[in-house]
Amino acid sequence: MRVTLGRVLVYVVLLLALVPVLFPVYYVIAGTFMEPRELSRFPPQLVPTGLHLDNIQRVLDAVPLMRMYANSLIMAGIITVAQLLTSVLAAYAFVFLRFRGSAVVFALFLSTLMVPGEATFIPNYLTLSDWGMHNSYLGLVLPFLAYAFGTFLLRQSFKQFPLELRDAARVDGMGHLRFLWTVLLPLSKPALSAVGVYVFISSWNMYFWPLIMTRTTDMQTLQIGLNSLKNAESANPGLWLAGAALSVLPTLALVIFGQRFIVRGLTAGAVK
């Protein structure tokens, strides 16, 4: 009886803690289908009277949202694939390739995490502008093709595999790339998924770098478009909610369907 009562109390506490976390997401989606008079009521109306699609249509008319959506997808997709590739290769080298000074190199590698990204924006902007890469996809993604966090996470995951496994594959005639592709990566899917989801969400929500790197609306990303909605029709909060709902859908889907892999990937290497 004590165990059952304790479990019920735990679930009640978790449900109460879940309400303030999920309520903003719910209200953004619900407010997307509300009319302006419903959003201006006090106390606030929590359930729309119907599925009013005017807000979504007005968002699409106010800014080229679909073009910005595509720009964000392209930018986040390229950055995610590139960081997965560079992180996998770097993590493999730190774990399975023995070379002098690897610990020092890895420490220097991790030290880059302590440098705020904003501190590198101006040098990167000046460099890429001199190279003629402003207002282009290459300029948007080039500074973010590699990142130390993904390497660290995958290194911790790869360290779970004994070096004898690599030696046995070597005896069978496997080279480094074949072992990495056919043995190591299939066994590291949770960690790869965690890195991929983290990088995609971070890239999708990026605002300041695309803001200073793009000059025309056809190259701007979704987050810049959402900010411009304030000037499009400031008297209609439903417009902002509709834009926010459209922007959160990809990341929300990733978190919902990839939650299991995220948890397993982030805890990989924590317990031997």
Side-chain angles (χ1 to χ4, degrees):
M1 183 64 181
R2 289 181 180 178
V3 175
T4 304
L5 182 59
R7 183 173 297 179
V8 170
L9 290 176
V10 169
Y11 285 141
V12 170
V13 172
L14 290 176
L15 287 174
L16 292 176
L18 193 63
V19 171
V21 174
L22 291 183
F23 179 76
V25 178
Y26 164 77
Y27 191 75
V28 165
I29 297 175
T32 300
F33 302 104
M34 291 185 187
E35 296 178 341
R37 59 182 178 82
E38 296 177 307
L39 290 169
S40 60
R41 287 179 180 174
F42 186 82
Q45 182 172 326
L46 301 181
V47 181
T49 57
L51 294 180
H52 306 288
L53 302 179
D54 294 343
N55 290 328
I56 297 178
Q57 185 60 49
R58 294 171 78 173
V59 166
L60 298 177
D61 294 338
V63 294
L65 205 66
M66 291 297 101
R67 173 67 182 183
M68 295 175 174
Y69 222 101
N71 291 338
S72 292
L73 282 174
I74 293 172
M75 181 186 72
I78 293 175
I79 292 175
T80 301
V81 173
Q83 286 199 24
L84 280 175
L85 178 61
T86 55
S87 297
V88 163
L89 295 177
Y92 182 88
F94 282 125
V95 175
F96 292 99
L97 299 183
R98 300 180 179 90
F99 58 94
R100 182 177 299 178
S102 61
V104 176
V105 174
F106 184 68
L108 293 174
F109 205 77
L110 286 184
S111 67
T112 60
L113 292 174
M114 295 183 287
V115 179
E118 291 77 6
T120 64
F121 281 176
I122 300 303
N124 286 337
Y125 172 76
L126 295 176
T127 301
L128 294 179
S129 295
D130 289 341
W131 292 350
M133 295 182 183
H134 57 274
N135 206 47
S136 66
Y137 290 121
L138 189 58
L140 286 173
V141 304
L142 193 59
F144 308 99
L145 298 184
Y147 191 50
F149 177 77
T151 301
F152 168 74
L153 191 63
L154 291 177
R155 175 181 176 270
Q156 298 305 108
S157 177
F158 290 172
K159 285 179 68 176
Q160 296 183 71
F161 300 96
L163 293 177
E164 290 78 9
L165 182 65
R166 170 71 190 105
D167 295 335
R170 201 171 183 179
V171 171
D172 289 340
M174 281 190 181
H176 290 293
L177 291 180
R178 185 182 174 190
F179 170 73
L180 176 65
W181 181 257
T182 60
V183 178
L184 199 59
L185 292 186
L187 297 175
S188 305
K189 288 181 180 178
L192 292 171
S193 301
V195 173
V197 171
Y198 171 80
V199 173
F200 184 89
I201 292 177
S202 300
S203 306
W204 180 267
N205 292 327
M206 200 181 299
Y207 174 75
F208 188 61
W209 177 252
L211 180 64
I212 65 175
M213 202 61 192
T214 57
R215 299 180 180 177
T216 58
T217 55
D218 62 327
M219 284 303 301
Q220 289 177 342
T221 58
L222 184 61
Q223 308 306 326
I224 302 175
L226 294 180
N227 188 62
S228 65
L229 290 176
K230 296 179 181 179
N231 302 323
E233 193 171 346
S234 58
N236 186 4
L239 203 67
W240 308 341
L241 294 177
L246 291 174
S247 70
V248 81
L249 287 179
T251 56
L252 190 62
L254 276 177
V255 172
I256 291 176
F257 294 107
Q259 179 182 6
R260 177 168 57 93
F261 295 106
I262 295 173
V263 174
R264 289 176 57 189
L266 292 177
T267 56
V271 180
K272 294 290 282 185

